[in-house]
């Protein structure tokens, strides 16, 4: 072997003009092949000028885990992908199969990437159900002598005989003013858009429904047994409790959620006709459900 000075180029092209397979020393540290196999200004016999492919066009830059055309390969594939392409983990890929992204090394070769859901279908469904039930309350009141509040509202004294009232009461709202409905639905929308992308559809639904039940339990333990209680406030306070737990877990600023919880709790105590028992019950149950859901959450901030 003849020694070469660092500035002297080496002509490694055989006499027959066949491009030589790059040796390990010729490959770049990231797994691609360097262009040292054919020195600059010395094209191989029968090949295109330096910097161009045999069929025309510029030579692509070395990519992670791929060989340049003409180095250990028979040429580019029909789809433009060089033969010998490998994924970042050294697994040879068949033609037409994309490599798994670096964000998910556990995904098998060729498996489609999972897209994280960013919508909030459960939140919209809950809002739609509450609005639809409120419209049904009007129809029943106008067309019949009955009231859905008396049929589906929660009465603690009737818990053992009609336990479904603990859940159905969370979808009823006071009449005739829509203010109760609008405030609850707006708050549900605000917290649903933050929590549902983080939790997913099923966890979001479980959180809301269990919080509604928790609000009814609070009324059962602390309220008047013969007072009818309606409204989604128990479920919404459950979202407050869950947000508190998640923000603490992700080490976010706790001031906004603490101020919001305090203001709403005080409002329930000082304003007449508000079931503060449902607020407390929903808040506690929502926080407990959020604690149980923490192990299944990704380490990502709330948005």
């Amino acid at each position: 072997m003849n020694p070469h000075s660092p500035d002297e180029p080496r002509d490694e092209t055989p006499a027959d003009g066949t491009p030589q397979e790059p040796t390990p020393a010729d490959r770049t540290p990231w797994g691609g092949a360097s262009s040292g196999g054919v020195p600059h200004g010395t094209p191989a016999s029968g090949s295109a000028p330096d910097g161009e492919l045999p069929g025309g066009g510029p030579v692509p830059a070395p990519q992670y885990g791929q060989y340049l055309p003409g180095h250990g390969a028979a040429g580019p594939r029909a789809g433009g992908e060089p033969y010998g392409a490998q994924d970042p983990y050294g697994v040879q890929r068949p033609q037409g199969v994309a490599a798994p992204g670096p964000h998910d090394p556990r995904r098998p070769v060729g498996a489609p990437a999972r897209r994280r859901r960013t919508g909030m279908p459960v939140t919209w469904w809950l809002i739609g159900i509450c609005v639809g039930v409120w419209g049904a309350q009007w129809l029943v009141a106008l067309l019949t002598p009955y009231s859905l509040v008396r049929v589906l509202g929660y009465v603690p004294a009737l818990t053992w005989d009609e336990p479904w009232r603990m859940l159905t009461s969370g979808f009823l709202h006071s009449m005739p003013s829509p203010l109760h409905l609008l405030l609850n639905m707006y708050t549900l929308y605000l917290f649903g858009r933050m929590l549902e992308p983080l939790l997913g559809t099923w966890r979001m639904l479980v959180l809301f429904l269990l919080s509604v039940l928790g609000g009814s339990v609070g009324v059962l333990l602390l309220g008047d047994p013969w007072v009818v209680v309606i409204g989604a406030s128990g479920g919404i306070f459950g979202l407050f409790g869950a947000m508190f737990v998640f923000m603490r877990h992700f080490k976010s600023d706790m001031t906004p959620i603490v101020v919001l919880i305090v203001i709403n709790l005080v409002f329930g105590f000082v304003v007449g006709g508000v079931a503060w028992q449902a607020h407390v019950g929903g808040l506690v149950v929502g926080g407990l459900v959020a604690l149980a859901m923490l192990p299944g959450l990704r380490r990502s901030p709330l948005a």
Side-chain angles (χ1 to χ4, degrees), residues 172-194:
L172 298 168
H173 289 83
S174 60
M175 297 171 58
S177 172
L179 184 61
H180 185 208
L181 174 70
L182 292 177
L183 287 176
N184 279 346
M185 294 304 99
Y186 181 66
T187 308
L188 176 58
Y189 165 77
L190 292 179
F191 279 81
R193 66 183 297 185
M194 292 184 287

Side-chain angles (χ1 to χ4, degrees), residues 53 67 94 105 107 113:
L53 292 174
Y67 290 102
R107 180 164 53 89

Side-chain angles (χ1 to χ4, degrees), residues 23 30 84 111 116 131 140 161 167 183 211-213 222 228 230 235 243 270 285 296-297 300-301:
T23 63
W30 54 84
R116 189 179 180 187
V131 173
V140 171
D161 296 329
L167 185 61
L183 287 176
S211 299
V212 170
L213 293 176
L222 304 174
V228 181
I230 59 174
M243 182 66 75
V270 300
V285 171
L297 295 182
S300 58

Side-chain angles (χ1 to χ4, degrees), residues 248-261:
R248 181 178 177 84
H249 176 72
F250 294 131
K251 295 180 174 56
S252 302
D253 183 13
M254 304 291 296
T255 304
I257 188 61
V258 171
V259 171
L260 182 64
I261 291 174

